[in-house]
Amino acid sequence: MTWFLLRRLGGALFVLLALSLVVYAAFYVAPGNVAQIACGPRCSPAQVAQVSEQLRLDDPVYVQYAHFLQSLVAGRDYSTGTGVVHCQAPCLGLSYQSGQQVTQLIVAKLPATVSLAVGAFVLWMLLGVGTGLLSVWRRGRATERILTAITLAGMATPVFVIGLLLIIICVTALQILPFPDYVPFTEDPEQWAWNLVLPWISLALVSAAPYARMTRSSMLETLAEDHVRTFRAYGVSERVIVGRHALRGALAPVIALGALDIGAMFGGAVLTESLFGIPGVGRELVAAVRNVDLPVVVGLVLVTGFFVVLANAVADILQAMADRRVVLS
């Protein structure tokens, strides 16, 4: 297990390094006057040249990339055209629009996204895995066909459609929930939860469908294996076989899918945050793209990649705990 963990850690670090190289090349090496964008449209040619020198844009590409990596661990000085600002490590640059450090901006927006992601994740895992298990338990009956139809409808329905329907029904018609207005958990935990109920349900209803389908197919495949037939031959009840033996092996692909989804969610659920007005990372990314705020876009892409890689590493560990055969692979 120790060697397995070291291999997974080394692989995660390599992926993060490769991601940073790709992102840097895509945004900073691509054609375009980065110094002019950083300084602003009103800067004189002399100020643009000063910014270019401060950012070391005349250096070879590999030197620029080395300075970019160095800024992540040691910080960096940036020229604003009228002065010099020190960006503390981990430095992802300064926002062209606000002049704020990108790291601080992301840290300020991240709690809202994490609140949305974690709550929705727990809900869609419970719904998805539970629905998949129930369809296996009632396979061949009307219940299975109904659940299959529901999951297919969930996979085909966009999250903003479900969100709008929930707002119309729960907020406008029945008035049982307030229109979501994000309140930080530290200010009022009760209002924090009430205002996130609709976003959680919207994401969960859409995201639970693939988990239900995957749980069902994995369970049926596991139940057809030789060791399960041996349990049946020894008279072990079907409930024990499904709940204790088959479920553990069938959850491995579900865990892997969950890691991808929760990692991407930490990067921002753009549609859900925009629909419900949640001031999270997703809305910030949309605003940064609209305003051509390059450092913010790069920082958010790197943070999203970090969470995806981290979630996959955790998923590998959980899979190894659920199925010891993974350690030997």
Side-chain angles (χ1 to χ4, degrees), residues 89-114:
C91 178
L92 294 171
L94 303 178
S95 169
Y96 294 160
Q97 296 295 317
S98 64
Q100 185 181 5
Q101 291 191 27
V102 174
T103 306
Q104 296 176 352
L105 189 150
I106 294 175
V107 169
K109 300 294 183 180
L110 202 55
T113 297
V114 172

Side-chain angles (χ1 to χ4, degrees), residues 4 8 251-260 262 308-322 326:
F4 171 80
R8 289 296 184 267
L251 283 181
V254 177
I255 293 173
L257 179 62
L260 290 173
I262 190 64
V308 171
V309 173
L310 177 64
N312 275 274
V314 174
D316 288 339
I317 297 173
L318 294 177
Q319 283 182 289
M321 295 172 61
V326 175

Side-chain angles (χ1 to χ4, degrees), residues 32 48-49 52 81 174 176 199 201 231-232 276 279 297 314:
V48 173
S52 179
L174 300 180
I176 58 176
I201 295 175
F231 287 136
R232 289 197 180 101
F276 292 102
V297 175
V314 174

